[in-house]
Amino acid sequence: MVPDVSTGSDSRGLIAYLFGPGRRDEHTNPHIVAAWDMAGAPDPGRDPAATYSQLARRLDHHVDLRTRELGGKKPPQHVWHCPVRTAPGDRYLTDTEWAEVARRVVHATGIAPDGDEKACRWIAVRHADDHIHIMATTVRADGRRPRTHQDGRRAQAECRRIETEFGLRRLKSGDLTAPRTPTGAERAKAERQGQTITARHWLRERAYAVAAAVHTEADYFTVLQSLGIKVKTRLGPETGDVIGYSLAVPGDTNAAGEPVWFGGSKLAPDLSINRLRERLPDQEVTDHPRYVADPTDPWRHIATAVHTARTVLDSSDDAAAQGHLAAFGDALYNIASAATGPHQAELRSAAMAFNRARRSATRADHQAATALRKAAKELAYASNEPGGLAIALLFATVYLAGAAAKWHEQRGHAQQAAAAEEAFRHLQAGYQQAATPVLADLAHRAPRAATARRFEQDVRAALPDHADRILTDPTWTALTTTLAQAETAGHNPRRLLIEVGSQRELDSAERPAEVLNQPNRRTQAARSRSTTSGTSSMSATLRPPATPVSTRPEERSRYR
């Protein structure tokens, strides 16, 4: 059961919506199921003589009194609104049950405590099977405002108790770190314009992608503007420093023709100016060269940093772990930007899915994740995608996303755990798309049977506890090719297996041979010196330095 508290100032407009047909004629049989006074509340849904204006006047009676007391000034945001919806798959509640839900919610939130004769006036309207809308005017009979501090959290807690008593699906309360969901008006506007996502969602993804790639706060605003996004900063009255900012989609205007602005914190909590500054220290761009001599260096650095992050998640330092999860969220955007194969779509979906897993109520130590964040920014300007290193990096991200889901689950972060699981599935699909042709090519060039038998003896000697599973793995043949390449380059296969086996998690791996086949420092060097084309099928052609965002030009102009 999900409550969603908001406030406004137009009581009659809200009443017209609640009793009207809806934006797509989805409202059926609208009627009041509970109210401050059922006998005194006109019901436009059941009483033909009742009108919206009559109901609005009855609800606003105390507001009118308060307005006269204040000399004609209405209290700001005096309309309180709280839809309450059951979870998908729950049974439909009766009107009597919904009436009890409404009375308990207004009591819990301080709108109308039980037994308080001077409480605010309110109604609960049902116009669909699975939800009601509670509306109140937040002026009491004695002229005072109700005590509604943390009303959203109190409504959530009461709904958890109602779920238990009514036998409904038990949901997890949020931790106030989720981004705001688009309003019904925003979704309807996107549908009218033929868009699949709302302006708020579109801006959020671009802001995340840019923040992941740039080095300074100034670059953040500059790149956003270069994409055509409107930027408006708010300056402090004394210092003149930026204390906030808002973004607007190009061409997205209101009825007056003005841009529709979204504040950074309204897009997502960690896109506020203060949270951004924690991740974007004000330092010279020259401290971070955008282009490096060896194009494989960024991929090596990010792979090393991702492996380190996996170790941090296993530690007891929750602040450092949360910092690495935030940095990993940035890294996913840049990995998707640098990828060039058909797996790029899955990587982008993984980056978007992981946004909910990158923050929680645990305060992040961003300094602890400096290496991962720096490596991610280097990757934003990488000029090519080296096949073997890229596949190894994708493999590492799959395991880190799985570890992130487990880390959140252990701490009761249900929403973040679900988001990390979704990202894990996208990364796993992307890895399979990238790795399958390479593994097939390696298997096609397998060494002679006598050499393969010698490598089998090496596996049994080096990794006796995992040998049977490795040798029956479908990717074992591909691993023999990698071992042959390493041997040709001068490495001892048995010692190499021991070294790689100590660095990889084999106990829980479904395909241990595939895990061993991920290049480390020595095997990658062996492959790069080999005259064969083992990874050429996944190597990207050289292209100009990438722009530091994960959007294509055609996507940037979709709202123009």
Side-chain angles (χ1 to χ4, degrees):
M1 184 170 285
V2 182
D4 184 15
V5 175
S6 61
T7 59
S9 57
D10 184 5
S11 56
R12 193 184 186 285
L14 179 56
I15 290 172
Y17 168 74
L18 297 180
F19 289 94
R23 295 185 177 90
R24 292 172 295 278
D25 295 325
E26 72 276 16
H27 295 175
T28 58
N29 188 24
H31 59 281
I32 294 176
V33 295
W36 87 96
D37 179 10
M38 286 296 288
D43 187 349
R46 293 291 173 86
D47 183 1
T51 65
Y52 298 158
S53 297
Q54 287 176 330
L55 179 56
R57 281 197 299 270
R58 291 287 288 151
L59 285 170
D60 282 343
H61 176 67
H62 300 303
V63 177
D64 294 336
L65 291 176
R66 183 62 171 161
T67 299
R68 287 194 290 272
E69 292 173 2
L70 296 174
K73 294 182 180 179
K74 271 191 174 184
Q77 301 295 102
H78 67 279
V79 179
W80 187 88
H81 180 211
C82 179
V84 183
R85 184 182 303 272
T86 53
D90 274 340
R91 65 180 179 85
Y92 293 145
L93 304 186
T94 65
D95 280 2
T96 302
E97 289 174 318
W98 275 124
E100 181 181 348
V101 170
R103 284 189 289 268
R104 291 178 62 167
V105 169
V106 295
H107 168 75
T109 55
I111 292 294
D114 290 342
D116 188 347
E117 296 180 357
K118 298 184 182 298
C120 302
R121 292 188 173 185
W122 61 275
I123 60 173
V125 178
R126 182 179 188 178
H127 56 208
D129 291 328
D130 62 347
H131 71 277
I132 60 171
H133 289 258
I134 306 173
M135 171 190 173
T137 48
T138 55
V139 177
R140 294 164 47 85
D142 54 14
R144 294 186 293 111
R145 304 297 296 273
R147 296 180 177 179
T148 56
H149 179 61
Q150 293 190 340
D151 48 359
R153 180 171 293 185
R154 287 187 278 169
Q156 289 276 2
E158 187 62 29
C159 284
R160 299 295 81 78
R161 289 187 283 268
I162 293 172
E163 289 164 354
T164 302
E165 297 175 21
F166 282 31
L168 303 176
R169 178 183 170 190
R170 298 289 304 278
L171 302 180
K172 289 284 188 181
S173 296
D175 57 7
L176 304 182
T177 63
R180 291 193 178 186
T181 56
T183 64
E186 292 171 14
R187 292 193 294 269
K189 185 176 183 179
E191 290 180 7
R192 290 196 304 271
Q193 295 176 342
Q195 306 298 335
T196 57
I197 59 175
T198 64
R200 185 191 299 269
H201 188 178
W202 189 87
L203 282 173
R204 181 189 303 140
E205 292 306 316
R206 271 63 190 172
Y208 269 130
V210 172
V214 299
H215 296 99
T216 67
E217 179 184 324
D219 281 352
Y220 175 69
F221 294 124
T222 299
V223 175
L224 285 172
Q225 289 175 319
S226 73
L227 298 177
I229 296 173
K230 297 181 181 296
V231 177
K232 179 174 65 176
T233 56
R234 190 170 70 256
L235 305 180
E238 297 180 358
T239 63
D241 295 335
V242 176
I243 60 174
Y245 73 98
S246 299
L247 306 178
V249 173
D252 184 29
T253 59
N254 57 21
E258 301 168 338
V260 179
W261 296 100
F262 295 90
S265 62
K266 300 300 188 293
L267 296 176
D270 53 348
L271 288 176
S272 69
I273 191 65
N274 290 332
R275 299 289 82 80
L276 276 174
R277 283 172 177 160
E278 293 176 355
R279 313 199 310 269
L280 295 175
D282 190 12
Q283 54 190 318
E284 294 294 332
V285 179
T286 53
D287 292 343
H288 302 272
R290 295 191 175 187
Y291 309 112
V292 292
D294 185 352
T296 65
D297 279 350
W299 296 88
R300 296 181 192 277
H301 295 164
I302 188 68
T304 301
V306 168
H307 281 295
T308 301
R310 177 68 178 85
T311 304
V312 173
L313 289 185
D314 291 333
S315 70
S316 58
D317 190 343
D318 282 3
Q322 184 63 64
H324 277 81
L325 292 179
F328 182 53
D330 286 347
L332 288 178
Y333 275 100
N334 292 341
I335 292 171
S337 176
T340 56
H343 52 291
Q344 188 180 52
E346 291 288 356
L347 300 186
R348 286 177 174 168
S349 298
M352 289 187 287
F354 197 79
N355 275 338
R356 184 65 189 96
R358 65 189 293 159
R359 60 186 174 273
S360 69
T362 302
R363 190 62 181 268
D365 180 2
H366 294 292
Q367 295 300 318
T370 299
L372 177 55
R373 182 164 285 106
K374 180 179 178 181
K377 292 184 187 301
E378 288 180 0
L379 190 63
Y381 302 95
S383 58
N384 75 328
E385 180 187 0
L389 277 174
I391 293 172
L393 174 58
L394 292 184
F395 189 81
T397 62
V398 171
Y399 274 82
L400 183 54
K406 182 179 179 181
W407 188 86
H408 280 304
E409 184 178 2
Q410 290 172 342
R411 285 152 184 80
H413 306 161
Q415 296 177 6
Q416 291 89 336
E421 283 283 356
E422 183 181 354
F424 170 83
R425 290 191 293 270
H426 285 297
L427 289 170
Q428 195 172 43
Y431 165 75
Q432 291 297 336
Q433 290 177 354
T436 297
V438 174
L439 293 173
D441 185 65
L442 288 172
H444 180 70
R445 294 181 295 104
R448 295 178 301 175
T451 304
R453 285 194 295 271
R454 180 161 51 82
F455 290 152
E456 179 180 341
Q457 295 173 359
D458 290 333
V459 168
R460 294 193 179 279
L463 302 168
D465 295 337
H466 306 285
D468 289 338
R469 294 175 57 237
I470 293 172
L471 297 174
T472 56
D473 188 329
T475 60
W476 159 245
T477 305
L479 180 58
T480 62
T481 304
T482 300
L483 291 173
Q485 290 175 344
E487 188 175 50
T488 301
H491 299 296
N492 183 298
R494 186 169 301 186
R495 283 201 294 268
L496 193 59
L497 285 167
I498 295 174
E499 176 188 341
V500 178
S502 65
Q503 301 170 356
R504 303 285 193 262
E505 172 56 47
L506 299 178
D507 292 330
S508 59
E510 294 182 6
R511 292 188 173 185
E514 187 173 356
V515 173
L516 293 172
N517 210 24
Q518 301 309 310
N520 69 345
R521 176 174 53 84
R522 294 187 182 182
T523 56
Q524 180 60 33
R527 289 184 186 182
S528 64
R529 287 196 297 266
S530 175
T531 57
T532 61
S533 58
T535 58
S536 60
S537 61
M538 288 302 297
S539 297
T541 58
L542 290 177
R543 53 186 173 86
T547 54
V549 291
S550 63
T551 55
R552 293 178 179 271
E554 61 267 27
E555 292 176 333
R556 300 174 197 157
S557 61
R558 63 195 302 274
Y559 271 92
R560 294 184 181 177

